Amino acid sequence: QKEVEQDPGPLSVPEGAIVSLNCTYSNSAFQYFMWYRQYSRKGPELLMYTYSSGNKEDGRFTAQVDKSSKYISLFIRDSQPSDSATYLCATQKSSSNTGKLIFGQGTTLQVKP
Amino acid sequence: EPEVTQTPSHQVTQMGQEVILRCVPISNHLYFYWYRQILGQKVEFLVSFYNNEISEKSEIFDDQFSVERPDGSNFTLKIRSTKLEDSAMYFCASSPGFSKHYEQYFGPGTRLTVT
């Protein structure tokens, strides 16, 4: 079983839509959950991170973690064409003293004007 | 805003040649990482580095790979004898410290093409 699974999409939505991006993970030792945005041929850009379960909001973005179901979500409100990118979820064990991140495959999002 | 920089942006090399990929992490960060992404695949962890030592390395990071912090600002990844399968984007990242491992900032990457 893969440690982090993410539907690669592509996901296409009209401008202004609410976008839901999701990942599942297999190891209950994962405690930190990150969302990165990656534009084509660029480096991943850290959007948000959360620890354990719960929600975290930053502007139009909300990250949600449900540890009971091992499910991670990123919601984008009022989506814009500039949000078109690949979104990567990543996890890390709380016991990690080395910082190794484990990434999902990434979901490609296209927001159409 | 401080950022991680990487040079070169694109490196083409012949199989069997040595390459050195360079990174300048964010200045007050203490942990440094290399990841790679083969086209169409996941971003994969290669190695983490702290206090001039490797903290962890993946199975990919075999004897052909080495890392070094030659001075106070640069962080390098050397591939001694490149193989075709080393062709990938290589990303350097840095984080502020032990308690903030989850806060990693990535550079723009170096695209390595091995012919």
Side-chain angles (χ1 to χ4, degrees), chain A residues 10-74:
Chain A
L11 179 63
S12 182
V13 301
E15 183 175 353
I18 296 174
V19 176
S20 172
L21 303 165
N22 309 293
C23 288
T24 58
Y25 63 94
S26 58
N27 192 333
S28 57
F30 293 142
Q31 295 281 349
Y32 290 97
F33 305 94
M34 282 64 71
W35 282 96
Y36 283 83
R37 178 172 62 196
Q38 186 177 27
Y39 293 112
S40 182
R41 295 189 179 274
K42 301 291 184 186
E45 173 194 356
L46 180 62
L47 285 176
M48 300 179 71
Y49 53 84
T50 54
Y51 174 72
S52 194
S53 282
N55 292 0
K56 186 173 183 179
E57 190 174 315
D58 184 0
R60 297 185 295 111
F61 297 88
T62 299
Q64 194 172 78
V65 177
D66 181 348
K67 293 202 73 187
S68 62
S69 58
K70 296 189 178 71
Y71 201 78
I72 315 161
S73 300
L74 178 71

Side-chain angles (χ1 to χ4, degrees), chain B residues 13-19 36 60 62-65 79-88 90 112-115:
Chain B
T13 189
Q14 288 190 327
M15 196 167 52
Q17 295 298 303
E18 175 182 288
V19 294
R36 80 171 185 190
I60 303 166
D62 61 21
D63 292 343
Q64 294 299 314
F65 291 87
I79 309 175
R80 242 179 296 282
S81 178
T82 49
K83 306 184 189 75
L84 293 175
E85 54 265 37
D86 293 328
S87 295
Y90 287 81
L112 177 65
T113 303
V114 182
T115 62

